[in-house]
Amino acid sequence: LLITPSKHCAAIAIDIDIQKKMKLFASIVAAVAVQSASAFVAGPQSQRAIVSSSTQQSMGLFDFFSEDARKEREARKQAEVEEQERLQREIIARRSNPKKMEEYEAKVRVRRALRMNGEDEAADSIDIYSGE
C-alpha cells in the first residue's frame, strides 16, 4: 500500500477537520456542564423563604411512622377484625340452624354449577355469606 503525496495531504486535511469538530464538541460539552452545575447551587435565602407552606406535606414512606398513620392502621385493623367476627357469628348461627344450612348448601350448589358452565360473573354475584 503506497501513499502518494496527494493522498497524504487529504488524510491530513481530514485529521484537521476531525480535530476542529472535536474541539467544538468539547467546548459545547463544557458550556453545558457549567450551565447544569449552576442548577445545583442554592439560591439566595430570600427565594427559599417564598416557597414555605403552612400545610404538612406527605413524605411517602416516612409517613408510616406518624401518629395519624398509626391511628389509621389501627382503625383499619379493628374494622377487619370486627368484620371477621361478624362472619364467624353468621357461620356459627347457620350451623346451628338446619334451615339456614340447607339454604347455604343450595347456594353453594348453584354457584358450583355456574362455575362449571363457565359463567364466572354470575357465580360471583351469588352472596353465600349473607346475614339473613
Side-chain angles (χ1 to χ4, degrees), residues 74-91:
E74 289 177 0
R76 278 197 313 256
K77 185 177 179 181
Q78 183 62 30
E80 184 177 346
V81 167
E82 289 172 359
E83 176 67 13
Q84 290 173 353
E85 288 175 348
R86 182 187 66 78
L87 291 172
Q88 185 66 33
R89 285 190 298 272
E90 286 181 18
I91 291 169

Side-chain angles (χ1 to χ4, degrees), residues 44-89:
Q45 184 67 25
S46 62
Q47 286 181 350
R48 282 189 268 159
I50 294 172
V51 184
S52 67
S53 174
S54 62
T55 61
Q56 183 177 3
Q57 187 176 11
S58 174
M59 299 302 283
L61 177 64
F62 298 108
D63 287 340
F64 180 79
F65 301 107
S66 72
E67 185 67 23
D68 292 337
R70 184 185 62 78
K71 288 179 182 176
E72 184 180 329
R73 281 192 311 275
E74 289 177 0
R76 278 197 313 256
K77 185 177 179 181
Q78 183 62 30
E80 184 177 346
V81 167
E82 289 172 359
E83 176 67 13
Q84 290 173 353
E85 288 175 348
R86 182 187 66 78
L87 291 172
Q88 185 66 33
R89 285 190 298 272

Side-chain angles (χ1 to χ4, degrees), residues 11-123:
I12 291 174
I14 291 173
D15 286 341
I16 292 172
D17 189 41
I18 290 174
Q19 287 177 353
K20 286 181 182 178
K21 288 180 181 177
M22 293 291 285
K23 286 181 182 178
L24 177 65
F25 180 71
S27 61
I28 291 173
V29 168
V32 169
V34 168
Q35 285 291 337
S36 64
S38 66
F40 297 106
V41 176
Q45 184 67 25
S46 62
Q47 286 181 350
R48 282 189 268 159
I50 294 172
V51 184
S52 67
S53 174
S54 62
T55 61
Q56 183 177 3
Q57 187 176 11
S58 174
M59 299 302 283
L61 177 64
F62 298 108
D63 287 340
F64 180 79
F65 301 107
S66 72
E67 185 67 23
D68 292 337
R70 184 185 62 78
K71 288 179 182 176
E72 184 180 329
R73 281 192 311 275
E74 289 177 0
R76 278 197 313 256
K77 185 177 179 181
Q78 183 62 30
E80 184 177 346
V81 167
E82 289 172 359
E83 176 67 13
Q84 290 173 353
E85 288 175 348
R86 182 187 66 78
L87 291 172
Q88 185 66 33
R89 285 190 298 272
E90 286 181 18
I91 291 169
I92 292 170
R94 183 174 54 239
R95 288 181 181 169
S96 64
N97 187 340
K99 183 179 177 186
K100 286 186 178 181
M101 195 63 187
E102 286 176 16
E103 290 175 10
Y104 168 76
E105 289 173 351
K107 288 180 181 179
V108 169
R109 280 192 301 273
V110 169
R111 187 183 67 175
R112 286 179 183 162
L114 289 171
R115 292 246 189 240
M116 292 297 288
N117 292 331
E119 300 175 26
D120 291 334
E121 291 178 11

